[in-house]
Amino acid sequence: MKKIAATFLSSKHIAKDLVKLNVTDVDYIHVDFMDGKFVKNKTLPFKELKNIYRYTSKRLDVHLMVMDPKKYIKKFATLNTEYISFHVEVGDKIEEAIKLVHRYGIKCGLAINPSTPLEVLDPYLDKIDLVLLMSVEPGRGGQEFIFDTVDRLKELKKTIKSKKLPIKIEVDGGINLETKEYVKDADILASGSYIIYSESFQDAITQLR
Ligand code: DX5
Ligand code: ZN
């Protein structure tokens, strides 16, 4: 069965949304963290964001949209974190950062933007646990699903299968009842708006699975 990672969208409602998500069977809380450099937007600083542990007992699926992943890996490793993903577009510091995540006993993901060729992932595929395939441009929730993702997902799945690698694929952005049908091959779906703006978080999560 597909796993669901729910993300909370507005800083104002973090506590409320997290408390409501905590009583659902959602698998992970997807934590979008932005440094204002890799993407224009900035999220709450870590010293405030870390308080999410007060409102949720769910494992975290951390998505770092930052230029310097190492700086934040250390911080998020102190929380109840299952996955830490950072972007393959950061370039040269990738291998080191993958090792650092693993040194903390946390699974490591590489996130890839919609316009980045999938081949960029190749040198790292045997070193990671997850590919976070972006189906919107990173930076904010509530955007429309980019349909190229459907072919990219197929291609990525094929590569992973042919190399017999145990990598999971998570699709992130614009997931709703219509678009989930196109990404059936994904192992995990990250969803923000669809869950958060629905009347029943649990019903929305069940429908997305
Ligand atoms: C985009 C984030 C996504 C996004 C998901 O920068 O990485 O996780 O918030 O939200 P929806 O489901 O609203 O596209
Ligand atoms: Zn995300």
Side-chain angles (χ1 to χ4, degrees):
M1 209 195 336
K2 232 180 233 21
K3 293 197 168 176
I4 305 295
T7 188
F8 41 91
L9 296 173
S10 94
S11 49
K12 254 203 263 161
H13 300 123
I14 280 187
K16 205 172 115 223
D17 289 346
L18 285 173
V19 168
K20 275 171 79 182
L21 284 168
N22 205 42
V23 294
T24 69
D25 65 5
V26 80
D27 298 278
Y28 306 112
I29 299 299
H30 181 88
V31 181
D32 284 317
F33 185 81
M34 310 175 202
D35 64 354
K37 293 178 192 148
F38 183 79
V39 288
K40 265 197 239 133
N41 278 343
K42 219 174 169 173
T43 31
L44 287 179
F46 181 78
K47 64 176 193 300
E48 285 175 44
L49 196 66
K50 73 169 195 289
N51 289 320
I52 59 179
Y53 76 86
R54 295 172 197 255
Y55 311 111
T56 186
S57 53
K58 301 281 182 188
R59 302 280 284 161
L60 306 183
D61 166 39
V62 175
H63 176 192
L64 297 177
M65 288 164 267
V66 303
M67 286 306 284
D68 185 6
K70 272 176 72 187
K71 186 170 156 195
Y72 298 99
I73 289 166
K74 288 183 200 146
K75 296 182 193 289
F76 281 99
T78 63
L79 304 179
N80 181 21
T81 303
E82 175 104 1
Y83 288 102
I84 296 182
S85 300
F86 53 89
H87 275 260
V88 71
E89 293 84 7
V90 300
D92 55 339
K93 316 142 193 160
I94 295 174
E95 293 226 8
E96 234 183 294
I98 294 173
K99 280 190 195 143
L100 185 61
V101 174
H102 283 154
R103 223 175 292 145
Y104 285 110
I106 294 170
K107 293 176 193 149
C108 186
L110 271 180
I112 181 160
N113 285 345
S115 53
T116 303
L118 287 173
E119 293 70 43
V120 177
L121 292 170
D122 285 350
Y124 312 108
L125 285 180
D126 60 344
K127 301 177 179 70
I128 56 173
D129 307 284
L130 175 84
V131 173
L132 185 61
L133 188 65
M134 295 305 298
S135 38
V136 297
E137 292 299 335
R140 60 188 173 84
Q143 303 181 70
E144 273 194 33
F145 180 86
I146 296 173
F147 270 90
D148 277 359
T149 311
V150 181
D151 286 340
R152 283 164 65 79
L153 176 60
K154 273 195 199 121
E155 195 186 325
L156 182 62
K157 188 89 186 178
K158 214 166 100 191
T159 309
I160 289 174
K161 215 174 159 187
S162 72
K163 298 189 183 206
K164 296 197 172 68
L165 294 166
I167 303 180
K168 304 265 189 255
I169 305 177
E170 175 172 1
V171 177
D172 184 14
I175 297 295
N176 55 37
L177 272 199
E178 183 204 337
T179 56
K180 68 139 193 179
E181 295 297 330
Y182 302 109
V183 291
K184 286 195 169 140
D185 274 345
D187 302 289
I188 307 171
L189 297 179
S191 167
S193 335
Y194 182 70
I195 296 174
I196 299 303
Y197 295 130
S198 45
E199 271 188 18
S200 155
F201 285 11
Q202 181 60 66
D203 287 351
I205 290 160
T206 307
Q207 287 165 339
L208 287 181
R209 272 190 209 284

